[in-house]
Amino acid sequence: MKNYTDEQLVRLYVDTQRNPFFEEIYDRYADKVYRKCLSFVKDQAKAEDFTHDIFLKLIVRLGSFKENSKFSTWLFSITYNYCMDQLRTAKKMAEDELTEGIDVIDDSDDIQEIEMDAKRLREVLDGIAPEERTILLMKYQDDFSIKDIADTFGLTESAVKMRLKRTREKLRKKYAESLLFSILLLSKILILLKWWAKH
């Protein structure tokens, strides 16, 4: 079973409907799908629920896999689309209930972290729209081609390139603002400490 390619496993499952073929696909990808879901929702229980739902969808949709791209690319497209749909639904419900949004960037605990680090980058990424974050992650984390991203979102390749360019610029600007905020806050604290020491 381990020697089969993903695509062979899909064909075998579709043809025979035998569970061991699907279980092998699940074993290969459950953790990867879970980690992608977790990057969206930041909640382990929700990420587990999303992963479960995605694999239920997968059972139904395996017959529609045409092998135009790698199986992993196709599965991650389903994963991204599902997570984004869930985020949109949650956002709409929150807006309908007029609940307040959560401040994503909170540098108060990170005053000493002036250099660019993974935590600040993650905060900045969380501060951009889910669609923008998804396109960036697909391109730079999962090595999706421009064509694969375009196919996933039903866009032209030039539209994907433009969105990537704009999102990179927005990310750079937000990161710079976040960094500036930290430096200003640190400067203010140092001034207050000096003043307090003298009085």
Side-chain angles (χ1 to χ4, degrees):
M1 195 80 70
K2 300 286 182 194
N3 296 328
Y4 288 130
T5 66
D6 296 338
E7 292 72 20
Q8 286 172 325
L9 285 169
V10 170
R11 284 196 298 272
L12 286 165
Y13 178 74
V14 170
D15 291 344
T16 67
Q17 296 296 301
R18 288 183 56 223
N19 284 337
F21 298 121
F22 186 80
E23 287 165 8
E24 178 64 23
I25 293 169
Y26 181 87
D27 288 345
R28 290 182 188 185
Y29 286 100
D31 188 56
K32 292 175 183 173
V33 168
Y34 167 77
R35 280 188 274 116
K36 289 186 192 314
C37 293
L38 189 61
S39 74
F40 276 91
V41 294
K42 309 293 185 289
D43 179 298
Q44 291 181 352
K46 270 189 188 172
E48 286 170 7
D49 290 343
F50 282 18
T51 302
H52 179 72
D53 292 346
I54 287 163
F55 277 94
L56 286 176
K57 278 180 172 291
L58 188 62
I59 290 174
V60 176
R61 294 182 61 178
L62 273 180
S64 67
F65 175 57
K66 302 298 182 199
E67 298 190 35
N68 296 329
S69 60
K70 289 194 308 182
F71 172 75
S72 58
T73 301
W74 184 73
L75 173 58
F76 294 152
S77 293
I78 291 171
T79 302
Y80 279 120
N81 283 327
Y82 180 82
C83 290
M84 285 173 52
D85 287 345
Q86 296 304 309
L87 289 177
R88 282 192 207 102
T89 302
K91 184 179 177 187
K92 175 129 183 36
M93 286 171 65
E95 286 170 357
D96 290 346
E97 294 168 9
L98 298 174
T99 57
E100 292 182 3
I102 298 167
D103 291 333
V104 177
I105 298 174
D106 176 12
D107 285 316
S108 59
D109 296 329
D110 294 67
I111 296 165
Q112 71 279 11
E113 306 262 351
I114 301 301
E115 295 177 4
M116 183 170 186
D117 62 5
K119 184 170 185 192
R120 182 168 286 112
L121 180 58
R122 192 176 300 116
E123 288 171 346
V124 174
L125 271 171
D126 288 347
I128 63 177
E131 290 84 355
E132 294 171 324
R133 184 169 68 244
T134 298
I135 287 179
L136 273 182
L137 291 175
M138 288 172 88
K139 174 69 178 150
Y140 298 109
Q141 178 179 290
D142 296 315
D143 296 322
F144 274 50
S145 67
I146 297 294
K147 184 182 183 311
D148 288 334
I149 298 171
D151 291 345
T152 299
F153 289 100
L155 299 168
T156 64
E157 290 184 34
S158 60
V160 170
K161 288 176 185 172
M162 183 55 69
R163 288 190 186 193
L164 276 169
K165 183 173 182 285
R166 286 182 185 152
T167 304
R168 281 196 307 264
E169 287 169 0
K170 183 185 282 190
L171 198 64
R172 197 176 296 122
K173 185 177 177 214
K174 278 183 172 289
Y175 178 77
E177 288 169 356
S178 169
L179 189 60
L180 181 62
F181 175 78
S182 287
I183 292 168
L184 289 173
L185 189 57
L186 183 59
S187 300
K188 188 177 277 191
I189 287 171
L190 289 173
I191 290 166
L192 285 170
L193 284 172
K194 284 177 184 174
W195 178 88
W196 181 77
K198 288 177 183 176
H199 292 83

